[in-house]
Amino acid sequence: MAKGVLAAGALTLGATPFGTATGSAQREQTAVFSNNYYPEAGFDIVSPLQTSATVEILQADGEPVPEISQPDEWTGYIIRYDIGDVREAGITTFLFTRGQRLSAGNRGTIGEDASVLSSQLNLLSTSVTEETETGPQPLEEDEIDAFEEAIRDDDDDPENGGE
């Protein structure tokens, strides 16, 4: 795919304070192609990009842009949007982060607000939230009571050997 096509679609999501460094604040930011900005849309994180591919995409004519002076500080990802009934053949694009690591296999959500980050690369700034897998959650006490009652009711059913 031609770099120009990739750069023309680039969109940067999110800028929230991450921490401070001497002289300037580091920022947590996220990026994806602007023609693929879908506010509040969920997506799957497919896999990370190689650093060299991320750097190339985040440059204009092989040179860094002022807003992204160090593209090697960014991490690129392939994502697939889950929009309506098209999840199986969802929109696949790139997303870039600085100061935040995402994990392949997890899901995320694009923020609803955006602003221009780089007009030269057609990048917007917004937020992104990663949803991590937490595994099975313990049942609440009322759920346990309802489950135990259902078992007792089932044991009393003559079809199940009950009285």
Side-chain angles (χ1 to χ4, degrees), residues 69-139:
S69 60
Q70 294 183 311
D72 59 335
E73 290 182 350
W74 293 74
T75 303
Y77 301 91
I78 299 170
I79 65 167
R80 183 173 302 118
Y81 279 107
D82 176 13
I83 301 174
D85 294 332
V86 297
R87 183 164 186 197
E88 294 303 316
I91 297 167
T92 302
T93 189
F94 299 116
L95 177 126
F96 306 94
T97 64
R98 183 178 81 164
Q100 178 181 12
R101 296 278 181 203
L102 304 176
S103 298
N106 284 348
R107 293 191 42 75
T109 304
I110 299 295
E112 73 174 299
D113 296 323
S115 61
V116 175
L117 175 69
S118 171
S119 58
Q120 192 172 0
L121 295 177
N122 200 20
L123 298 174
L124 299 179
S125 179
T126 187
S127 61
V128 64
T129 304
E130 182 178 18
E131 303 161 14
T132 59
E133 293 295 324
T134 58
Q137 298 297 308
L139 295 174

Side-chain angles (χ1 to χ4, degrees), residues 18-37:
F18 181 72
T20 58
T22 306
S24 66
Q26 280 193 318
R27 296 166 57 106
E28 188 175 279
Q29 296 178 301
T30 307
V32 65
F33 294 119
S34 64
N35 61 329
N36 289 323
Y37 171 61

